[in-house]
Amino acid sequence: LSGPERGLERSFAGAQNLLCLARPGQRVGARVVLTRETLARLKPLAERMAEKLPGLSGVAVLFPELEGRALASPEVADLRFEEASSALERLAPVLQKAAPLSLYHFPLCVLGPALRPLAARTLDDAKVVFPLACRGCRARPGCVGVHKSYARLAGCAEFAPSGGRA
């Protein structure tokens, strides 16, 4: 839901059209890629989606994959899981008013207990690593891991077992 000038308005108009044209069984969802800017505006965005887009099948919030153009943008490249998950803890109830919430690309250990069930395994195994701290973590089988580019850029100090040791 971003883009050129008036991109947000165009995105909402397009989503409204899709919802009006959806046939039985067709689903219309929204995806929001986090940056520092979108994180700061997530609450009003979620409130607007709840008001203007009734019938959304889901809202997926994605932690960005730090590759390509994302690496050139401090808005994206400087965002850390701790910062994003802390904000999502506060904003989850608002987001869930718009539609069922899913979290993509989030290792389980950076999420609080209430958000962990919303995390989906969304990255190809070839794109992720599991830091040494993950060895023996009970949550590892259901965890997406850490995107390799994030581990290279930010390191792995913020990751710790979330499910306890096996």
Side-chain angles (χ1 to χ4, degrees), residues 130-164:
F130 286 92
L132 290 176
C134 299
R135 192 178 306 168
C137 177
R138 290 182 191 163
R140 184 173 171 167
C143 184
V144 70
V146 181
H147 196 283
K148 288 178 181 177
S149 60
Y150 184 94
R152 276 193 303 274
L153 186 70
C156 294
E158 67 188 297
F159 306 107
S162 63

Side-chain angles (χ1 to χ4, degrees), residues 76-141:
V76 179
D78 291 345
L79 184 64
R80 296 294 172 259
F81 281 114
E82 292 170 325
E83 177 183 358
S85 62
S86 175
L88 288 170
E89 287 282 342
R90 294 186 312 274
L91 296 172
V94 178
L95 287 160
Q96 290 174 319
K97 286 181 183 176
L101 177 61
S102 297
L103 302 175
Y104 291 6
H105 313 341
F106 282 87
L108 293 175
C109 65
V110 300
L111 299 171
L115 293 181
R116 287 182 196 146
L118 306 177
R121 290 198 62 182
T122 50
L123 294 170
D124 186 293
D125 289 343
K127 288 186 166 191
V128 300
V129 295
F130 286 92
L132 290 176
C134 299
R135 192 178 306 168
C137 177
R138 290 182 191 163
R140 184 173 171 167

Side-chain angles (χ1 to χ4, degrees), residues 14-100:
Q16 286 171 328
N17 284 338
L18 288 172
L19 287 165
C20 287
L21 297 172
R23 294 185 178 155
Q26 290 181 321
R27 298 168 14 128
V28 178
R31 291 185 175 196
V32 178
V33 179
L34 291 181
T35 65
R36 282 219 162 88
E37 183 178 353
T38 58
L39 196 57
R41 297 179 180 187
L42 201 51
K43 183 177 180 188
L45 178 62
E47 290 169 342
R48 188 168 174 196
M49 283 192 292
E51 176 188 346
K52 301 283 186 185
L53 301 174
L56 279 179
S57 61
V59 174
V61 175
L62 292 81
F63 194 89
E65 295 182 53
L66 300 180
E67 49 191 32
R69 290 188 307 172
L71 286 173
S73 169
E75 275 288 310
V76 179
D78 291 345
L79 184 64
R80 296 294 172 259
F81 281 114
E82 292 170 325
E83 177 183 358
S85 62
S86 175
L88 288 170
E89 287 282 342
R90 294 186 312 274
L91 296 172
V94 178
L95 287 160
Q96 290 174 319
K97 286 181 183 176

